[in-house]
Amino acid sequence: MIYKIGERLVPIENETWEKERPAAVFLTDSAHAEETLKKAGIVYDNEIKLAKIGFCKVENQHECMVGTLCIPKLLDVLGNKYRMYFFVNQLNVVIVDDDAFAYKLIQRIQKKKARQADTKERFIYNFFAEFMSRDLEILIAYERRLLQMEEEVTRDEVESFENEMMPIRRELLNLRSYYDEIMDLGKELEENENGIFLERHLKYFGTLTDRADRLMSKTQHLLEYAQQVKEAYQSQIAARQNNNMQFLTVISTIFFPLTLITGWFGMNFYDMPGLKSGYYSVCVLSVVVVVVSLHFFKKKKII
């Protein structure tokens, strides 16, 4: 296989896809995409603008297949994404990437894979599998964070819960949409509408679809788990508020009769009985009210 980088057309390995179908992979940037496509024998009439890519998808044209990739950065899922085009015809694969992310992926494939690209189907499989290789590890990291947050809720340490949970849910929702797009893309490749791929190699794309399906299922499980943790947090907050309301109810119940007593004897009418010598009686009455109220609440197990 020959990796051709931009204008340099640098051969990295001299192999062929198959004896009857020699092919090459071209890596280029958007500035040189048009002429690189011509060299690869691919006709694409639309404008190539990486910044406008927002989804992972693939579409079949007359003599080629055109796809876009919008890959989230795993350490900053909500931030900028890796965006690239890929074009496939009977002989060649062209990848358009301005971030050199595709080139790094191919370098990693060369170091790790003994069979890097026996066929273009195998190359596409290796390429997709490589940028999905760490996803399960990242999802497990999310699971550990949620476990830790659940333990904090159990210990009633919920001060920063909302600030931690909100970005996690948004990131997981973003990843779920991404894996759903990869699943659809893999199914489209497997359908092989234009007959670009050899039938016996379509199993690679089925494997990619299955991997994306497992990752999406894991992400969905984490979203459901995050919802359970959030409900536990809300229950903890509700219990705390209920305790506060219960305390206020006890205080109000105790002081309401005391307020009535002090209001009654505070009217200071001239001929009011007990006005001149009722101070101690009011004090005793108030103490009796407090003791009786506390005894009642204790009996009802409110305090």
Side-chain angles (χ1 to χ4, degrees):
M1 174 179 54
I2 299 176
Y3 292 109
K4 300 187 176 182
I5 315 301
E7 282 296 288
R8 294 181 294 162
L9 306 182
V10 179
I12 295 178
E13 287 190 22
N14 292 315
E15 297 178 4
T16 58
W17 300 100
E18 294 178 341
K19 291 181 180 179
E20 68 272 22
R21 302 178 70 186
V25 175
F26 293 80
L27 297 183
T28 186
D29 55 23
S30 55
H32 302 92
E34 186 175 348
E35 57 184 296
T36 305
L37 288 173
K38 288 181 181 178
K39 292 173 182 177
I42 296 175
V43 178
Y44 184 64
D45 297 329
N46 296 331
E47 188 178 11
I48 294 178
K49 284 195 173 181
L50 294 174
K52 291 187 177 180
I53 295 176
F55 303 96
C56 298
K57 64 179 182 178
V58 66
E59 60 183 31
N60 292 290
Q61 299 196 353
H62 183 59
E63 294 182 351
C64 71
M65 181 177 286
V66 181
T68 58
L69 293 175
C70 187
I71 305 170
K73 299 179 180 179
L74 295 181
L75 298 180
D76 185 17
V77 174
L78 300 178
N80 294 327
K81 297 177 172 56
Y82 295 114
R83 293 177 168 86
M84 63 185 79
Y85 284 91
F86 67 93
F87 302 83
V88 186
N89 65 2
Q90 293 287 349
L91 295 178
N92 301 309
V93 178
V94 176
I95 299 175
V96 183
D97 176 24
D98 286 343
D99 296 324
F101 180 60
Y103 183 59
K104 293 177 182 177
L105 289 175
I106 291 176
Q107 285 183 317
R108 280 154 51 182
I109 292 170
Q110 289 178 316
K111 293 178 180 178
K112 292 163 58 175
K113 302 289 185 180
R115 297 179 61 194
Q116 299 169 28
D118 300 345
T119 64
K120 62 179 176 291
E121 295 85 1
R122 180 77 183 188
F123 170 79
I124 294 172
Y125 167 77
N126 283 338
F127 189 80
F128 276 66
E130 187 60 35
F131 68 68
M132 296 168 61
S133 61
R134 293 184 56 215
D135 291 49
L136 183 59
E137 178 184 342
I138 295 299
L139 292 179
I140 291 174
Y142 278 110
E143 187 173 34
R144 290 172 180 167
R145 287 171 64 185
L146 290 172
L147 282 169
Q148 182 179 357
M149 293 177 69
E150 185 178 33
E151 291 176 0
E152 291 174 353
V153 169
T154 304
R155 297 195 300 266
D156 200 20
E157 300 173 2
V158 296
E159 287 75 13
S160 60
F161 181 89
E162 288 288 355
N163 293 333
E164 293 180 17
M165 178 58 77
M166 188 177 297
I168 290 178
R169 285 177 54 82
R170 290 178 59 196
E171 290 171 10
L172 289 174
L173 286 169
N174 196 302
L175 288 173
R176 185 180 65 179
S177 298
Y178 163 64
Y179 296 133
D180 189 33
E181 294 167 14
I182 293 293
M183 278 182 58
D184 291 340
L185 189 151
K187 290 176 182 177
E188 190 71 27
L189 292 174
E190 194 174 5
E191 287 177 5
N192 194 25
E193 183 178 329
N194 285 357
I196 291 175
F197 305 117
L198 297 178
E199 290 292 333
R200 65 177 180 272
H201 296 315
L202 294 179
K203 60 183 179 180
Y204 292 127
F205 306 134
T207 303
L208 287 176
T209 302
D210 292 342
R211 179 177 296 189
D213 186 23
R214 290 195 299 271
L215 290 171
M216 191 177 73
S217 298
K218 179 70 172 179
T219 306
Q220 181 62 35
H221 167 74
L222 290 174
L223 280 168
E224 293 171 358
Y225 182 37
Q227 182 61 30
Q228 293 174 5
V229 175
K230 185 176 182 180
E231 290 173 357
Y233 161 76
Q234 291 173 338
S235 299
Q236 193 77 8
I237 294 299
R240 182 185 293 183
Q241 292 175 342
N242 184 57
N243 290 335
N244 292 338
M245 290 299 298
Q246 184 172 312
F247 174 76
L248 292 174
T249 300
V250 170
I251 296 299
S252 299
T253 304
I254 292 175
F255 279 91
F256 178 76
L258 297 181
T259 303
L260 180 63
I261 292 170
T262 55
W264 178 267
F265 285 97
M267 291 186 292
N268 295 325
F269 291 135
Y270 177 75
D271 57 348
M272 183 176 179
L275 182 63
K276 295 183 179 180
S277 59
Y279 175 73
Y280 294 105
S281 299
V282 170
C283 290
V284 171
L285 181 60
S286 298
V287 171
V288 170
V289 168
V290 171
V291 171
V292 171
S293 299
L294 291 175
H295 177 72
F296 173 79
F297 287 126
K298 189 171 183 181
K299 186 177 180 181
K300 294 293 183 179
K301 297 182 179 180
I302 297 177
I303 60 174

